[in-house]
Amino acid sequence: DAEITQSPRHKITETGRQVTLACHQTWNHNNMFWYRQDLGHGLRLIHYSYGVHDTNKGEVSDGYSVSRSNTEDLPLTLESAASSQTSVYFCASSARRVNTGELFFGEGSRLTVL
Amino acid sequence: DQQVKQNSPSLSVQEGRISILNCDYTNSMFDYFLWYKKYPAEGPTFLISISSIKDKNEDGRFTVFLNKSAKHLSLHIVPSQPGDSAVYFCAAKKRLDSNYQLIWGAGTKLIIKP
């Protein structure tokens, strides 16, 4: 069965360290997204990609970067982790031009920055 | 500028009764509205959607109503079951060039009491 997987599921790091969260999907979807979920804010879009070599900033992109070198993967990098980036991160994917906008989500990566 | 709002952070309902979750939006350009359900330590999963040209969509125990004049939608769950206890997110889809984006509400935590 096709799926979307995130790793690591849990990560504790120190302020200033570089952290990379992996996202891998086997749906062959063109669209991939990274969100963060914080209490009272719902899901906020960090970065997104509509295809290989395409990346775009979302509403909370400062301090984060992504790259899309193939269809399956969209790693999220925190260049210099800050305590404000302690959150649960979700990766999602969807097919291009899906009328309903349905996204498929990974199980999340909980990141703690000390 | 919160384009999609879920004003109730939580809702408690007796098992077997109707659960009604509400969502308000401000942008008339949204063409689809979606509801997602999220259990703890899991990613959100798609539940039901409605096109902006419809006023009702039903799927088993779940019905979504859309009132365009009031810019309001609601999700009805009848009858409510213990497994329905989760966080429910409302999302609205808008077109962006040849693709689309989802705008998310902050979520409502539904608790079904036995």
Side-chain angles (χ1 to χ4, degrees), chain A residues 9 31 33 35 37 40-43 45 48 50 90 94-108, chain B residues 2 31-34 36 38 41-46 49 87 89 93 95-96 98-102 104-107:
Chain A
R9 294 293 311 279
N31 302 342
F33 307 83
Y35 289 92
Q37 185 198 3
H41 288 279
L43 292 166
L45 185 63
Y48 58 100
Y50 288 147
F90 289 100
S94 71
R96 196 200 308 266
R97 297 193 184 93
V98 173
N99 282 338
T100 61
E102 181 180 347
L103 300 183
F104 296 84
F105 282 86
E107 294 191 317
Chain B
Q2 266 190 299
D31 61 355
Y32 261 90
F33 300 90
L34 303 90
Y36 282 77
K38 184 187 177 304
E42 294 184 11
T45 55
F46 171 75
S49 66
V87 176
F89 290 100
K93 182 174 83 72
R95 297 213 67 83
L96 191 69
S98 62
N99 224 305
Y100 64 89
Q101 279 196 346
L102 293 185
W104 296 80

Side-chain angles (χ1 to χ4, degrees), chain B residues 47-62:
Chain B
L47 187 59
I48 191 170
S49 66
I50 187 167
S51 165
S52 61
I53 64 172
K54 306 275 187 182
D55 53 23
K56 178 182 174 181
N57 187 27
E58 191 172 351
D59 183 3
R61 296 186 298 114
F62 302 93

Side-chain angles (χ1 to χ4, degrees), chain A:
Chain A
D1 284 344
E3 59 180 4
I4 180 166
T5 54
Q6 294 182 230
S7 62
R9 294 293 311 279
H10 300 274
K11 173 80 175 177
I12 300 174
T13 191
E14 295 177 342
T15 302
R17 299 263 187 162
Q18 183 181 79
V19 175
T20 295
L21 305 179
C23 176
H24 179 81
Q25 54 99 1
T26 58
W27 296 97
N28 200 34
H29 284 161
N30 287 301
N31 302 342
M32 294 185 74
F33 307 83
W34 272 105
Y35 289 92
R36 60 179 287 176
Q37 185 198 3
D38 304 287
L39 201 61
H41 288 279
L43 292 166
R44 291 186 291 174
L45 185 63
I46 306 171
H47 281 286
Y48 58 100
S49 168
Y50 288 147
V52 177
H53 302 310
D54 174 75
T55 61
N56 305 278
K57 293 181 179 180
E59 60 180 303
V60 291
S61 60
D62 287 348
Y64 303 94
S65 64
V66 293
S67 61
R68 186 90 181 271
S69 58
N70 58 51
T71 300
E72 295 79 19
D73 299 288
L74 187 71
L76 177 72
T77 298
L78 288 69
E79 301 293 344
S80 177
S83 58
S84 61
Q85 295 177 308
T86 292
S87 186
V88 181
Y89 292 86
F90 289 100
C91 180
S93 71
S94 71
R96 196 200 308 266
R97 297 193 184 93
V98 173
N99 282 338
T100 61
E102 181 180 347
L103 300 183
F104 296 84
F105 282 86
E107 294 191 317
S109 295
R110 181 177 292 276
L111 176 67
T112 302
V113 183
L114 300 176

